[in-house]
Amino acid sequence: MKLGKVEFCHFLQILALFLCLSGMNQAELTRSRSKPYFQSGRTRTKRSWVWNQFFVLEEYMGTDPLYVGKLHSDVDKGDGSIKYILSGEGASSIFIIDENTGDIHATKRLDREEQAYYTLRAQALDRLTNKPVEPESEFVIKIQDINDNEPKFLDGPYTAGVPEMSPVGTSVVQVTATDADDPTYGNSARVVYSILQGQPYFSVEPKTGVIKTALPNMDREAKDQYLLVIQAKDMVGQNGGLSGTTSVTVTLTDVNDNPPRFPRRSYQYNVPESLPVASVVARIKAADADVGPNAEMEYKIVDGDGLGVFKISVDKDTQEGIITIQKELDFEAKTSYTLRIEAANMHVDPRFLSLGPFSDMTTVKIIVEDVDEPPVFTSRLYSMVVSEAAKVGTIIGTVAAHDPDASNSPVRYSIDRNTDLERYFNIDANSGVITTAKSLDRETNAVHNITVLAMESQNPAQIGRGYVAITILDINDNAPEFAMEYETTVCENAQPGQVIQKISAIDKDDPPNGHQFYFSLTAEAANNHNFTLQDNKDNTATVLTKRNGFRRQEQSVFYLPIFIVDSGSPSLSSTNTLTIRVCDCDADGIAQTCNAEAYILPAGLSTGALIAILACVLTLLVLVLLIVTMRRRKKEPLIFDEERDIRENIVRYDDEGGGEEDTEAFDMAALRNLNIMRDTKTRRDVTPEIQFLSRPTFKSIPDNVIFREFIWERLKEADVDPCAPPYDSLQTYAFEGNGSVAESLSSLDSISSNSDQNYDYLSDWGPRFKRLADMYGTGPDCLYS
């Protein structure tokens, strides 16, 4: 029988294993030829051990216990008087010994990767005395390894990255596999690496597990990710060895190997001339296959006639070039612009300069479209001045605006009344001349800021706005007055020439050179014997006493009229009265009390008298309250007695109704709904004694069309009126229509009525009804008979 190469190798391995087991699984204890020796008063035979290590094969799968080895003592004569015992690691649980023969067996499957060896102790005992016949000996059972563990990648699966366009042999990542088998015995733990998937792009070092690039110029833009499968095999990769695999994901990282390129050589955009400054006109983008920082670009306008009108910036998120307006566009001035725009990479890799310039150019043409623009004022802000003495109708200044379009429509002016609520100014709708409409007062408002509206006559929706600042010039129209309300006092012991008050003045006017006030006493107060006034020539004056001996009992208050004149042209003056109170002062001249009654009260009434007066007042108040309470209790309730005939009483109601706003006195439904059909109703609060024949009722239904047309006309007028307020408002019109469902309420039509009602009883009602009796009566005294 002819064996193949593989079968022959297996046969050799099995034969070697069998020879190893047969040569090492026995240990013989032989007695030496040495003489006996004495120890501790007794003699014993000294023996020596011929000792070999025990070996046992792991992963034994047989059904019978696995024979490990044999223990034997020279003392054992084979007559059964000696027994063997075993102790230590795994004794009795894993390893057992035949106490008669000394044979050791393993009862369980052993795994070298769990425990590589066991240390045990053996001893021979006399079976009768159970005493040792030999000293205890220690031996080791080693577990012999077999290839039962495959290599494992403990850190897998792996991810790694390598720059695109890397040269061949660039290291990517190292993978490592571990084998739990014994590395010191055979080739069970010797691992070699190979690549199962990922060729021809990558390779792996068989011994180190280092993965490297195998192809040059791998382009991320073509393929950016690769999945590799790496195998680790023990037994140095020979047949029969165990293997394990792992996956490695390799990502090609980007490098700047692609220059930016515009998809088109030219672009064209249309923009209205009314587009405000800073608005976006267009977005352009140069294509770049790179990503991240390698795709960052900058844009700039390198040429063209719109360098000062437009600018371009980059959007950091999208890498687009954003073209915006820097100056206002004017179709009438220029209808188109041409821009030459360059896009360039910000981070250029010198290794790839040979691929071409990393920039590109394109042309952008911008067409300006004409729009109907609002009128434009010649100045954004007009400054005007007017005197506050100007009369109504005085011309202040003129504003001017024009239609910038080619049609140059006429312009009409108006004032935005939201900026001139008091309507101080008017403007001529055609000329733009601003005049005063009311008297002005600088002290109320020194500067008026108004907005002037300019509207195209052909298109009132186009409104331009101009701003006017009107400064009111001051005139001397306010007289000076005290700067504050003075509380002046004079001590009873004041000496002549003593200063009791320093006064100053204010003036609401604002003269260019400042205020200058002159103080003096009025003519009637100039010769008084009590006080004098001294002008300090610094817009202040001092009040001094002219005598001593002021007494509160004689006069407690003095009134000093002071005449103040300003320096305006013409000058204005005013008389201000200074109130001076006489007070009792301490030694330092500080007023203690200024009440003159403090001297009078003790002389007139005592404290007891004041208490008596207060008690009388309280008594009177109590009596008044009692009287009012009693009268309220005696009042009869306003309820009619059942036996009283209310028809014999005339009840007068002084109530004429609330007019059109009274919604309680009559039915409002008739006013809200013009189509309602009203029937004749009688009053329910009185009992009618005479039945009147009602006038024929014309139940006509007026048409609401006339009211709708009237309101619609007023609405259209308000929409086109430039002076109408730009907010919702309630407009009330005194329009009653062409007719009324109630007909005429006049009694004059009753004359021509064909009613047969007899009104002669009116003559019996007294002189107050004589006129009605003459008008409606049938007697000879009838007014119209």
Side-chain angles (χ1 to χ4, degrees), residues 11 317 754:
F11 174 75
D317 297 328
N754 296 324

Side-chain angles (χ1 to χ4, degrees), residues 25-27 55-56 64-71 102-106:
N25 282 350
Q26 291 186 5
F55 291 90
V56 61
D64 298 329
L66 178 65
Y67 180 76
V68 177
K70 184 180 183 65
L71 296 178
D103 293 335
I104 301 174
H105 292 81

Side-chain angles (χ1 to χ4, degrees), residues 63-216:
T63 57
D64 298 329
L66 178 65
Y67 180 76
V68 177
K70 184 180 183 65
L71 296 178
H72 185 70
S73 173
D74 292 341
V75 181
D76 189 0
K77 301 300 182 179
D79 54 359
S81 61
I82 302 298
K83 69 175 182 179
Y84 299 93
I85 61 174
L86 191 67
S87 63
E89 292 180 316
S92 301
S93 61
I94 299 177
F95 302 101
I96 60 175
I97 188 171
D98 189 328
E99 64 179 12
N100 296 318
T101 63
D103 293 335
I104 301 174
H105 292 81
T107 61
K108 293 184 179 180
R109 183 173 63 88
L110 302 176
D111 188 357
R112 189 203 67 84
E113 285 72 38
E114 293 181 1
Q115 188 166 346
Y117 61 90
Y118 296 85
T119 302
L120 295 99
R121 294 178 298 277
Q123 195 169 29
L125 302 177
D126 187 282
R127 189 178 296 274
L128 297 177
T129 63
N130 204 30
K131 292 183 178 181
V133 297
E134 295 286 349
E136 187 179 59
S137 299
E138 186 177 88
F139 65 97
V140 175
I141 300 178
K142 284 191 174 183
I143 311 303
Q144 190 174 3
D145 184 49
I146 64 172
N147 189 18
D148 60 341
N149 291 278
E150 73 278 2
K152 294 182 179 179
F153 293 92
L154 302 180
D155 298 328
Y158 297 84
T159 57
V162 63
E164 63 174 332
M165 312 299 288
S166 296
V168 175
T170 301
S171 178
V172 179
V173 68
Q174 183 178 16
V175 296
T176 302
T178 58
D179 196 317
D181 293 326
D182 189 359
T184 63
Y185 178 76
N187 296 325
S188 298
R190 296 181 62 185
V191 178
V192 294
Y193 301 92
S194 61
I195 183 168
L196 301 182
Q197 178 180 323
Q199 295 175 332
Y201 305 103
F202 298 93
S203 62
V204 62
E205 287 286 340
K207 295 183 179 180
T208 62
V210 175
I211 300 174
K212 299 181 179 181
T213 58
L215 285 180

